[in-house]
Amino acid sequence: MKNLIFFTLLFILSGMQMLSSQDINELNKQANIERMNGNYQKAIELSTSTLEKKLNVISFYIRAFSLSKISKFAEALKDCESAISYPAGGMLETFEKGDIYFLKGYCLQMLGKCEEAVGAYETAENIIRRENAVALYSNLGLCYLKLQKYEHADFFYDKAIERSEKNSEKESYWAVRGDCMFNLEKWYLADSFYTRATQFGLQDYPVYWNMATCRLKNGKVIDMFGDSTEIEFHNWGIINCYKTATLIIQKDIKANKASDKQVRDISLIYFDQASFCFSVGKYDLASAALDHSLKYGKLSKTTALYDKIDKLKEDIKEAK
């Protein structure tokens, strides 16, 4: 009787391992098809079923990737760790180490663990598939940006720009490089990076608003050493930055697509424009901008701005 039980258990246990490598590959192929078709829950079920039969790197990766796509980052991270530490045969050719480490970095990033994410991404850097390099460098840049390490962030966004072939990506990365320099108070570089972003077609009002600020800061040098023509040209450049920023928001307002923040920001931009125009003696333009600032300030209930508007109106009257 004991022998019968022993052989029955042996048969059951051996039956669990009877799947050949070819069988596993076929099951993983089915799961991967579901993953690539966006059927992530089905891919998770198939890869889980395969892992119950035999542990393997590919199933861990497919399940990790699919879990990340439905925002289950903690579970996906565990599968990444399992794939990385899996002993038998190391990483298989189908999914390179770079893919696993990249996915690990992404999960850590989405869990808010940016410092750990940087470590995973940097491990992936030299073994990543070429087609994933842009995403790797932009994600590294974003992690450093969140860590407020702006020079590091700028370095990796520069790498992303070098490898990107899409203008839509380049315009975004140049804008973020501008933000990095803006936070470092490197006004000239910030302005030049923002300008590059707009040359690629970016129409983003915070970029133009920040460009105006950069040019205001740079204007101190021009006021000291420039002639009257250079100063006037510079001043109109600042005014046009404010104007472009407001036009972008107005377009959304007319299309009923503007957010509350946009309506609040346009009142602030107009006030900044009015303040600048007043400072360079363009009083009529300052008054017009103040009227718009008050209009949108009332719409957004930006009451803190009312006293500043009234004060600037009085200053304009006195100056005239």
Side-chain angles (χ1 to χ4, degrees), residues 95-109:
F95 297 104
E96 298 173 9
K97 276 188 177 181
D99 296 340
I100 305 288
Y101 277 102
F102 176 82
L103 183 56
K104 177 184 176 180
Y106 177 72
C107 292
L108 287 165
Q109 180 181 346

Side-chain angles (χ1 to χ4, degrees), residues 47-275:
S47 53
T48 299
S49 176
T50 305
L51 287 166
E52 288 171 352
K53 296 177 175 68
K54 187 174 182 179
L55 299 180
N56 67 96
V57 175
I58 297 176
S59 293
F60 278 128
Y61 176 81
I62 292 171
R63 190 168 71 177
F65 184 96
S66 301
L67 285 165
S68 74
K69 285 295 185 179
I70 57 173
S71 300
K72 294 187 176 182
F73 301 111
E75 293 174 46
L77 180 59
K78 288 180 182 178
D79 276 351
C80 287
E81 296 286 8
S82 296
I84 289 166
S85 61
Y86 185 69
M91 297 294 173
L92 301 182
E93 286 184 7
T94 310
F95 297 104
E96 298 173 9
K97 276 188 177 181
D99 296 340
I100 305 288
Y101 277 102
F102 176 82
L103 183 56
K104 177 184 176 180
Y106 177 72
C107 292
L108 287 165
Q109 180 181 346
M110 297 307 291
L111 290 167
K113 300 178 179 181
C114 287
E115 287 189 5
E116 293 177 58
V118 165
Y121 283 139
E122 290 183 343
T123 301
E125 184 178 2
N126 295 323
I127 51 177
I128 195 74
R129 296 175 193 260
R130 183 178 178 82
E131 59 266 28
N132 291 335
V134 174
L136 172 73
Y137 288 128
S138 64
N139 283 6
L140 264 169
L142 183 57
C143 285
Y144 278 119
L145 192 65
K146 288 182 177 179
L147 293 168
Q148 298 184 354
K149 295 182 178 180
Y150 300 116
E151 289 181 343
H152 288 77
D154 178 65
F155 174 79
F156 283 109
Y157 275 112
D158 185 33
K159 280 180 169 283
I161 290 168
E162 286 178 6
R163 287 157 180 79
S164 177
E165 297 178 354
K166 298 178 181 177
N167 285 351
S168 58
E169 290 178 343
K170 289 181 179 182
E171 67 181 33
S172 175
Y173 300 154
W174 276 115
V176 179
R177 290 193 70 191
D179 290 341
C180 292
M181 294 300 105
F182 190 92
N183 281 295
L184 291 168
E185 297 186 0
K186 295 183 178 182
W187 310 116
Y188 179 80
L189 279 176
D191 184 26
S192 64
F193 290 166
Y194 285 138
T195 300
R196 290 298 300 274
T198 62
Q199 288 170 346
F200 278 102
L202 185 67
Q203 289 290 301
D204 188 26
Y205 78 87
V207 165
Y208 284 97
W209 195 4
N210 284 353
M211 284 171 71
T213 301
C214 292
R215 293 178 185 187
L216 266 170
K217 301 290 185 179
N218 288 332
K220 293 176 181 178
V221 176
I222 293 173
D223 288 344
M224 287 174 64
F225 301 106
D227 60 29
S228 59
T229 303
E230 288 176 320
I231 293 170
E232 184 68 2
F233 181 80
H234 179 76
N235 290 343
W236 277 109
I238 294 171
I239 293 168
N240 284 332
C241 285
Y242 287 129
K243 185 176 180 180
T244 304
T246 58
L247 287 173
I248 291 169
I249 300 176
Q250 284 174 348
K251 185 177 178 181
D252 284 343
I253 291 172
K254 288 177 182 177
N256 293 319
K257 294 192 300 183
S259 65
D260 291 342
K261 183 179 185 307
Q262 283 179 295
V263 178
R264 183 173 64 253
D265 282 351
I266 195 173
S267 67
L268 296 172
I269 296 168
Y270 271 122
F271 182 80
D272 286 351
Q273 181 181 344
S275 298

